[in-house]
Amino acid sequence: MTASQSLVITGPYTFNRESVAIKPKVAKGHARVITEYGGICGSDLSVYKGKLAHANYPIVMGHELYGTVVEADDKGVFTQGQKVVVQPNLSCGECDLCKKGKRNICRNKQTLGVTKNGGFTGFIDVPVTNLLPIPQEMDGKLAVLIEPLAVIVHAFRNVTIEEGDTVAVLGCGTEGMLSAILANLLGADVIAIDINQEKLKLMDVHEDIEAGLPGILGEEYDHVVEAAGVPQTIAQSFDVVKPGGNILAIGITGEPVSIDANKMVRSDVSVFGSIIYDFPKDFERALEFLKNYPKQFSHVVSKVYPFADYEKAFETALSGKAGKVLIDFKTCGDMSIKD
């Protein structure tokens, strides 16, 4: 086994299926994982469109990953055949923020599929410290949601959502959908909005969550989750949050934003920015939610494509008309290339 079929992006809007060399021996502290499912994330689309300034090209894409250990690590932490998901962010452990336990905002953070080769490939070597074991019987299509759900679990740690609280979620992309579902499971009365009717249709299966165009918003909510990452919804968050309420900012925008600083100060509004997660605790919490409520989360995944149809998978993800789009790497059989 000398190489593996991989999805490589060589520059904005340019990607191909290529063979990428595999190291003959797994490094110490690493396990070799065969990818089974990979989720296409918004950051993958940003890399594709050339909108992430820190992205490296050429690079193997993909960081939302579920697979099976095919070569155990040297310490036997993970054994052959173990199902796992990947925590794709690598912190340095040495900077001031890492030493304060804030590895999610490490000053030297590296990310699979963005700055280091990712997992849209046959095999990937991952540090054992970045792997979470998954029950063998768990559906891999559900398990691949652990990474994006961990983002929401981490953000929600900033506030206390209680039975009967009101929550407005602005934006119904994957993270918005996950936010609405999780807030609902925590007992909140949830309303979710978007300007994309196709995304709103994806929320129809959740009878306890009201979803619609921005015009359905009421006046005030205990908690507002900004998940769209556009200036309009960021500003709108300040319009609809209650005095003493909370805004959770999880959307990412590169555009200038105007906020109502007077309302933030005079109404004692708390604003929390949140990025990725703490591993393993946020992954473990996400796993528990997915295990306990598989039906509520199963509809987040709306399309699964074989690896051979990767172009169609990205076309669907870019269209904004689908929920989470997955690539199924199992459909290609043995993706290794031998001499």
Side-chain angles (χ1 to χ4, degrees):
M1 182 170 64
T2 60
S4 175
Q5 289 291 315
S6 309
L7 185 56
V8 178
I9 182 164
T10 55
Y13 299 99
T14 307
F15 61 168
N16 297 287
R17 183 171 170 173
E18 302 179 9
S19 61
V20 174
I22 298 174
K23 293 179 180 179
K25 188 175 181 180
V26 179
K28 288 185 178 181
H30 289 62
R32 181 159 292 170
V33 175
I34 184 170
T35 306
E36 296 187 29
Y37 289 108
I40 299 177
C41 174
S43 60
D44 295 316
L45 301 181
S46 293
V47 173
Y48 174 74
K49 292 184 284 189
K51 290 189 174 182
L52 281 187
H54 61 286
N56 292 331
Y57 303 99
I59 198 163
V60 178
M61 304 183 74
H63 68 270
E64 294 179 356
L65 308 170
Y66 165 85
T68 302
V69 174
V70 292
E71 190 170 338
D73 60 281
D74 55 313
K75 301 295 183 182
V77 178
F78 288 89
T79 57
Q80 187 175 3
Q82 174 67 63
K83 300 292 186 180
V84 293
V85 292
V86 175
Q87 194 283 92
N89 296 283
L90 309 174
S91 55
C92 71
E94 299 295 330
C95 71
D96 57 326
L97 296 173
C98 281
K99 289 179 179 178
K100 291 179 180 178
K102 298 182 180 296
R103 289 177 176 266
N104 62 313
I105 49 175
C106 167
R107 295 188 188 278
N108 306 302
K109 183 178 66 178
Q110 299 287 311
T111 301
L112 302 183
V114 179
T115 60
K116 294 176 69 71
N117 280 342
F120 286 178
T121 182
F123 302 88
I124 181 172
D125 294 351
V126 184
V128 295
T129 51
N130 285 66
L131 292 174
L132 183 77
I134 300 301
Q136 299 294 106
E137 69 277 8
M138 189 173 186
D139 185 349
K141 294 187 293 295
L142 196 62
V144 82
L145 293 177
I146 291 173
E147 196 272 349
L149 181 57
V151 173
I152 308 307
V153 168
H154 182 75
F156 277 25
R157 290 185 183 276
N158 290 295
V159 301
T160 301
I161 297 178
E162 299 177 322
E163 188 84 27
D165 279 0
T166 55
V167 175
V169 178
L170 312 186
C172 291
T174 297
E175 298 295 7
M177 293 174 67
L178 292 172
S179 297
I181 296 168
L182 184 55
N184 178 250
L185 291 174
L186 294 173
D189 295 326
V190 182
I191 188 168
I193 68 160
D194 205 291
I195 60 173
N196 186 326
Q197 292 281 9
E198 297 298 325
K199 289 183 178 179
L200 292 173
K201 289 178 183 177
L202 298 173
M203 299 296 298
D204 287 346
V205 296
H206 304 285
E207 296 179 357
D208 296 334
I209 299 172
E210 184 180 5
L213 298 170
I216 70 170
L217 279 173
E219 292 184 358
E220 293 180 333
Y221 298 87
D222 296 304
H223 313 282
V224 179
V225 181
E226 198 294 309
V230 296
Q232 295 90 332
T233 50
I234 295 171
Q236 190 176 34
S237 300
F238 289 86
D239 295 333
V240 298
V241 67
K242 279 184 181 179
N246 303 299
I247 296 174
L248 290 175
I250 62 172
I252 298 175
T253 178
E255 303 174 65
V257 177
S258 297
I259 63 173
D260 189 346
N262 279 336
K263 181 165 186 179
M264 181 171 61
V265 174
R266 292 185 178 276
S267 297
D268 199 18
V269 171
S270 297
V271 181
F272 299 94
S274 185
I275 190 73
I276 59 172
Y277 28 64
D278 293 330
F279 184 81
K281 66 179 181 180
D282 291 328
F283 269 55
E284 292 169 342
R285 180 73 165 147
L287 172 59
E288 287 304 308
F289 276 114
L290 289 163
K291 283 169 51 181
N292 293 332
Y293 304 98
K295 182 179 179 181
Q296 286 86 338
F297 288 102
S298 62
H299 300 288
V300 175
V301 175
S302 60
K303 297 284 184 179
V304 182
Y305 290 94
F307 185 31
D309 291 339
Y310 68 87
E311 290 178 310
K312 192 170 183 180
F314 268 80
E315 179 183 332
T316 301
L318 287 162
S319 74
K321 296 181 179 180
K324 176 60 66 178
V325 176
L326 303 186
I327 297 177
D328 182 352
F329 293 87
K330 304 190 306 305
T331 56
C332 297
D334 184 358
M335 292 171 60
S336 62
I337 299 172
K338 303 172 178 65
D339 289 329

